[in-house]
């Protein structure tokens, strides 16, 4: 790798991280080539040299931020052994990401997607990275439960991801309501855990009931 290539990659990384910090600290309305470059500590012209436009930089930053976040938690999510544990890990992630400003960042990205066309697919692609990891975990933890054959892990993963996005946005206007929503999700996990703890006869009865219900 030549020095020029290494320097170019370093500059692009600075711009990606600068874009994410600018969005978090100043909001989408004040995010521009000038503010991003100032945050990144580089010349404003480099925004256009490396990314072509501010919107393309923001889209790349969205994907970059999501990849970085998912990589931090991939092993943790992969280690869960039950639905209740997965929901608990989701709450840990939420708390950690909120403290580091990443919940505010998601809010800005979702707001920006309304007026910056390139942000909508980039934000969706970032969420898909989370959905993929959640789907793997759900497929694994539900496989040996009475619910395994009656659930759609992909659809359920999308529902879980959408729920956490909604909670994160809701938290900005009603922190207590968001906490109550997270508590309710954990109670759901506890309920599933209680059903999993039932003996084989009870589990067969649950499966029989679910089969009858799904055939209607």
């Amino acid at each position: 790798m030549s020095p020029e290539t290494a320097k170019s990659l370093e500059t692009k990384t600075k711009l990606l991280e600068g874009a994410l910090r600018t969005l978090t600290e100043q909001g989408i309305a004040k995010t521009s080539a000038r503010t991003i470059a100032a945050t990144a500590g580089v010349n404003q012209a480099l925004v256009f040299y490396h990314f072509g436009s501010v919107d393309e930089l923001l889209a790349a930053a969205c994907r970059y931020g999501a990849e970085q976040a998912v990589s931090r938690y991939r092993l943790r999510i992969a280690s869960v052994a039950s639905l209740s544990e997965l929901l608990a890990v989701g709450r840990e992630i939420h708390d950690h990401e909120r403290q580091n400003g990443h919940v505010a960042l998601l809010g800005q990205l979702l707001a920006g997607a309304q007026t910056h066309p390139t942000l909508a697919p980039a934000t969706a692609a970032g969420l898909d990275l989370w959905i993929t990891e959640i789907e793997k975990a759900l497929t694994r933890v539900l496989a040996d439960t009475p619910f395994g054959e009656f659930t759609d892990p992909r659809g359920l993963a999308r529902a879980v991801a959408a729920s956490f996005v909604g909670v994160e946005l809701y938290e900005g206007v009603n922190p207590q309501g968001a906490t109550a929503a997270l508590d309710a999700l954990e109670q759901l996990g506890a309920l599933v855990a209680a059903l999993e703890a039932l003996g084989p006869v009870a589990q067969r009865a649950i499966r029989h009931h679910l089969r009858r219900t799904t055939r209607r």
Side-chain angles (χ1 to χ4, degrees), residues 140-163:
R140 186 178 67 257
V141 302
L142 293 176
D144 296 326
T145 73
F147 313 102
E149 65 182 279
F150 306 102
T151 55
D152 169 22
R154 182 68 173 172
L156 187 55
R158 290 183 181 278
V160 170
S163 296

Side-chain angles (χ1 to χ4, degrees), residues 105-188:
L105 171 62
L106 177 60
Q108 291 301 320
L109 289 170
L110 291 172
Q114 307 303 311
T115 54
H116 295 68
T118 56
L119 274 186
T123 303
L127 289 173
D128 276 343
L129 292 176
W130 286 106
I131 290 167
T132 296
E133 299 305 319
I134 295 169
E135 180 186 359
K136 291 176 186 175
L138 286 171
T139 300
R140 186 178 67 257
V141 302
L142 293 176
D144 296 326
T145 73
F147 313 102
E149 65 182 279
F150 306 102
T151 55
D152 169 22
R154 182 68 173 172
L156 187 55
R158 290 183 181 278
V160 170
S163 296
F164 273 93
V165 169
V167 167
E168 288 168 355
L169 297 178
Y170 186 35
E171 189 172 46
V173 295
N174 188 339
Q176 283 119 355
T179 297
L182 290 171
D183 289 343
L185 286 174
E186 288 194 358
Q187 289 167 4
L188 177 61

Side-chain angles (χ1 to χ4, degrees), residues 96-114:
H96 186 268
E97 294 294 284
R98 176 175 52 78
Q99 291 168 8
N100 286 279
H102 298 147
V103 170
L105 171 62
L106 177 60
Q108 291 301 320
L109 289 170
L110 291 172
Q114 307 303 311

Side-chain angles (χ1 to χ4, degrees), residues 43-122:
N43 189 292
Q44 179 177 330
L46 292 173
V47 170
F48 304 99
Y49 176 78
H50 286 290
F51 295 96
S53 69
V54 173
D55 279 4
E56 289 297 332
L57 169 55
L58 292 178
C62 176
R63 291 188 290 269
Y64 172 81
E67 288 165 0
Q68 295 292 306
V70 171
S71 67
R72 286 195 294 271
Y73 302 109
R74 183 172 283 114
L75 291 178
R76 182 75 180 92
I77 295 173
S79 70
V80 300
S82 67
L83 179 61
S84 56
E85 186 181 354
L86 177 61
L87 291 170
V89 168
R91 188 160 192 168
E92 289 174 19
I93 293 173
H94 166 81
D95 290 343
H96 186 268
E97 294 294 284
R98 176 175 52 78
Q99 291 168 8
N100 286 279
H102 298 147
V103 170
L105 171 62
L106 177 60
Q108 291 301 320
L109 289 170
L110 291 172
Q114 307 303 311
T115 54
H116 295 68
T118 56
L119 274 186

